[in-house]
Amino acid sequence: MSNLFFMKKEEKKNDSGLMDKIVSLCKRRGFIFPGSEIYGGMANSWDYGPLGVELKNNVKQGWWKKFVHSRTDMVGIDAALIMNPKVWEASGHLKNFTDPLFECPECHGRFRLDKLVPGVENVKVESTSATDDYKKEYYVNQKDLIGQGVIKEVIKCPDCRKVFPDKMKFRFFNLLFKTFIGSTEDAADVAYLRPETAQAMFVDFKQVAETSRKRIPFGIAQIGKAFRNEITPGNFIFRTREFEQMEIEYFIRENDWEKTFEYWHEEMYKWMGELGLKKEHLHDLEVPEKERAHYSKRTIDIEYDFPFGTDELYGLAYRTDFDLGNHAKASGQSLEYLDPETQEKFIPHVIEPTFGVDRSVLAVLCESYFEEEAPTSEEGKTEPRVVLKFPKWLAPIKVAILPLSKKEELAKVARPIYEDLVKHFICEYDETQSIGKRYRRQDEIGTPYCVTVDFETLEDKAVTIRDRDTMKQERIKISDLINYLKNKLGD
Ligand code: ATP
């Protein structure tokens, strides 16, 4: 959640070449491509294709299985995207959900001031005297910033390269997506697309607590879309205006907040391990008080070394009783929890682990991408290959069935194998192109196992299984195939 200013992001692994390769692979193979492309596209809108949707669904289903189905202290909901606008008033989003927006006076390019001037969050800013918060203008002087060592020299516009004026005026831009309900675009009909899934868990708290008969501590989880009118979307699916979140609001007694915070911190790392993200690519950023969202008493941003720099992957926040307390006040409804044993009544406090779905997909793609030399069919020769070494459970396609040629006699054996396997695993049947090209395609889409049916199969009733990572080939009896793959794929 945005506060007045964001933290400075350290650009560590600046490898835009790698990012370009990942974006291009995603388009080429049908993972993710620009949205509305036949109309010239739509800036920063991305569509998940046939493989991308499988990958993303695996992330979401794995998360739900781990955090909802495998726990007795968690239940899920799926709430409306457009909520009563009073929700956003009570939650503080109408007032506080802002980013500092600076517009270049020359080319009118719009930028986030905190991105243009890393460190500006620590500087005292002046403001004009307008009374309306949204119109109020703020300014920083470049000379002062240089004097204080925040910047070394005057800043130029990244777009038109003109030097910015000494007095840089900016305002706080609200990120809520406004829409209108019904047929008139009247102020009374204004509504907002939710900027986070979290608020539904607070607003529905009482309903869920009563109907699920859960006792504190317990959590409510949700996966769904969120919308933010970001000033500077970019870096592929890292920052978009429409994205998905997987969020947990975990309700506790106030005294337990520190140990619960630690507990969820560990759980988040376990999950990132399951996604295959290496620990050395993950960093905790303890968000200082000044930069924390308005509701938070402690926040850790978990950052990942993306190719374009180290930036936020997930967040963990102690939201106190801020949200439930405010909704109780604003709605006039009691959101207290009654302890059935002690008869004690109180407003629960909340620990919130939040996970971006799209950023998870992006991190998994970055972590899994390898370029390496692979042996060819010619003895001793190698050629470069690109391979996505997804953890097997995340791979969009688990097994590819590849008859060596299109000949009918092979199809007669290969089709029934496919039909058998597809009852157990997501499979692909591919008989086009040379076997080398088909292996390369399966490597690029991260398929853990290729099953090749050749002319020997007709005799020995066995197939060759090729392992994506080791590229080793094994001959396996068709009758043993399902058990072999179940074993390997951990099913
Ligand atoms: P950032 O600092 O990158 O703008 P944030 O601190 O505003 O993110 P939160 O409000 O904590 O993000 O949102 C929870 C999670 O939702 C983030 O950790 C991230 O994974 C995801 N997320 C937030 N904004 C976006 C976005 N514009 N596009 C894609 N994912 C996002």
Side-chain angles (χ1 to χ4, degrees):
M1 162 91 159
S2 317
N3 195 5
L4 288 188
F5 291 113
F6 276 63
M7 284 298 295
K8 175 171 73 172
K9 306 294 183 201
E10 202 183 340
E11 303 259 317
K12 264 188 196 156
K13 220 174 88 181
N14 205 340
D15 185 353
S16 58
L18 174 58
M19 203 57 211
D20 290 346
K21 285 178 189 168
I22 290 171
V23 174
S24 136
L25 170 71
C26 283
K27 182 167 162 54
R28 191 167 69 246
R29 294 304 188 189
F31 279 93
I32 302 163
F33 34 75
S36 319
E37 215 183 8
I38 61 162
Y39 289 104
M42 160 120 177
N44 301 294
S45 133
W46 300 95
D47 291 348
Y48 286 77
L51 295 174
V53 69
E54 297 295 338
L55 175 60
K56 182 155 91 152
N57 281 345
N58 288 342
V59 169
K60 292 194 281 185
Q61 283 159 8
W63 187 90
W64 196 261
K65 184 171 168 202
K66 180 179 177 66
F67 292 118
V68 182
H69 287 167
S70 310
R71 303 179 61 115
T72 54
D73 61 347
M74 193 80 72
V75 286
I77 60 166
D78 184 15
L81 281 155
I82 302 175
M83 306 174 78
N84 188 317
K86 287 181 185 157
V87 169
W88 308 110
E89 209 175 299
S91 68
H93 281 79
L94 272 172
K95 194 159 187 284
N96 297 321
F97 195 58
T98 56
D99 275 340
L101 167 71
F102 172 78
E103 191 171 313
C104 172
E106 192 66 31
C107 71
H108 302 286
R110 292 179 151 202
F111 307 97
R112 264 172 61 176
L113 184 73
D114 54 322
K115 297 283 178 191
L116 281 176
V117 188
V120 74
E121 57 272 10
N122 303 317
V123 172
K124 204 170 167 292
V125 294
E126 309 291 335
S127 67
T128 57
S129 55
T131 44
D132 185 338
D133 263 359
Y134 299 104
K135 294 202 184 114
K136 203 163 184 168
E137 280 196 319
Y138 298 78
Y139 54 90
V140 285
N141 288 316
Q142 294 212 57
K143 279 200 200 91
D144 295 347
L145 293 175
I146 293 173
Q148 293 171 39
V150 178
I151 52 174
K152 289 200 182 78
E153 51 191 39
V154 284
I155 307 169
K156 284 190 192 129
C157 174
D159 285 355
C160 72
R161 309 303 303 159
K162 267 260 156 79
V163 172
F164 288 140
D166 180 47
K167 188 169 170 178
M168 289 175 72
K169 281 193 200 159
F170 66 96
R171 62 192 176 88
F172 286 102
F173 174 77
N174 194 289
L175 303 184
L176 286 175
F177 252 101
K178 215 185 243 182
T179 186
F180 295 91
I181 304 272
S183 53
T184 52
E185 293 199 357
D186 207 286
D189 302 323
V190 167
Y192 303 93
L193 305 185
R194 67 182 181 195
E196 58 175 26
T197 65
Q199 289 306 318
M201 275 83 101
F202 301 124
V203 172
D204 293 348
F205 169 74
K206 203 142 195 156
Q207 282 275 356
V208 176
E210 280 171 13
T211 52
S212 66
R213 295 172 300 127
K214 292 287 171 207
R215 296 210 184 155
I216 275 178
F218 78 93
I220 309 180
Q222 183 173 207
I223 300 180
K225 288 245 169 169
F227 300 81
R228 296 180 187 181
N229 211 351
E230 298 275 2
I231 298 170
T232 45
N235 285 326
F236 194 29
I237 52 170
F238 177 80
R239 188 181 302 287
T240 49
R241 295 194 169 108
E242 171 184 345
F243 56 96
E244 270 184 282
Q245 294 183 314
M246 308 183 280
E247 295 198 296
I248 293 168
E249 305 305 323
Y250 198 77
F251 299 95
I252 52 167
R253 286 184 163 74
E254 183 175 4
N255 282 344
D256 292 335
W257 85 263
E258 272 152 320
K259 72 170 193 215
T260 315
F261 194 95
E262 292 310 324
Y263 166 80
W264 278 106
H265 188 237
E266 275 171 35
E267 288 299 297
M268 292 178 89
Y269 269 86
K270 282 188 205 153
W271 162 253
M272 292 183 285
E274 288 170 31
L275 289 182
L277 307 183
K278 290 209 184 67
K279 238 187 142 202
E280 63 261 32
H281 296 154
L282 295 163
H283 314 276
D284 279 351
L285 182 88
E286 184 78 50
V287 181
E289 194 185 339
K290 251 172 88 183
E291 286 102 41
R292 280 201 296 265
H294 58 278
Y295 51 71
S296 173
K297 256 203 176 152
R298 184 177 178 200
T299 299
I300 289 181
D301 284 350
I302 302 176
E303 300 195 321
Y304 178 75
D305 293 332
F306 290 101
F308 49 83
T310 301
D311 214 332
E312 177 174 337
L313 174 64
Y314 299 150
L316 174 64
Y318 169 38
R319 289 181 85 129
T320 69
D321 58 355
F322 177 90
D323 300 272
L324 284 182
N326 278 356
H327 286 307
K329 251 184 262 154
S331 65
Q333 306 274 326
S334 160
L335 295 179
E336 280 178 325
Y337 170 82
L338 172 69
D339 188 306
E341 265 156 39
T342 62
Q343 296 299 308
E344 180 197 354
K345 257 187 169 182
F346 61 97
I347 293 191
H349 280 233
V350 172
I351 300 292
E352 176 194 71
T354 171
F355 309 70
V357 176
D358 311 85
R359 287 189 192 177
S360 305
V361 170
L362 183 57
V364 165
L365 283 166
C366 296
E367 191 78 49
S368 308
Y369 184 97
F370 289 89
E371 286 173 10
E372 55 189 31
E373 285 297 312
T376 63
S377 50
E378 262 181 82
E379 249 330 278
K381 282 224 165 139
T382 63
E383 62 179 8
R385 73 160 182 167
V386 169
V387 53
L388 287 176
K389 294 185 182 174
F390 293 134
K392 289 172 190 163
W393 70 276
L394 280 173
I397 308 285
K398 307 290 190 244
V399 187
I401 293 93
L402 313 173
L404 198 61
S405 85
K406 269 190 186 161
K407 291 228 165 76
E408 184 53 26
E409 49 190 315
L410 287 189
K412 265 194 191 147
V413 187
R415 288 293 315 178
I417 294 178
Y418 168 77
E419 273 147 29
D420 248 11
L421 291 185
V422 84
K423 290 180 197 144
H424 303 272
F425 320 101
I426 310 277
C427 295
E428 193 170 271
Y429 186 85
D430 186 4
E431 54 181 14
T432 56
Q433 301 186 308
S434 73
I435 192 74
K437 279 201 176 136
R438 280 182 278 164
Y439 281 156
R440 238 165 297 151
R441 172 184 147 77
Q442 295 303 333
D443 284 344
E444 280 201 357
I445 67 174
T447 306
Y449 296 102
C450 288
V451 171
T452 310
V453 177
D454 53 27
F455 291 98
E456 259 175 69
T457 307
L458 307 177
E459 309 296 321
D460 67 0
K461 309 279 178 267
V463 289
T464 302
I465 298 199
R466 175 183 179 269
D467 182 296
R468 176 194 70 194
D469 300 341
T470 62
M471 288 179 278
K472 288 222 172 84
Q473 307 206 358
E474 249 186 284
R475 200 79 189 158
I476 301 283
K477 287 270 173 220
I478 297 173
S479 52
D480 294 339
L481 202 50
I482 290 177
N483 276 342
Y484 175 92
L485 288 167
K486 275 192 172 170
N487 230 338
K488 289 280 188 184
L489 289 163
D491 185 357

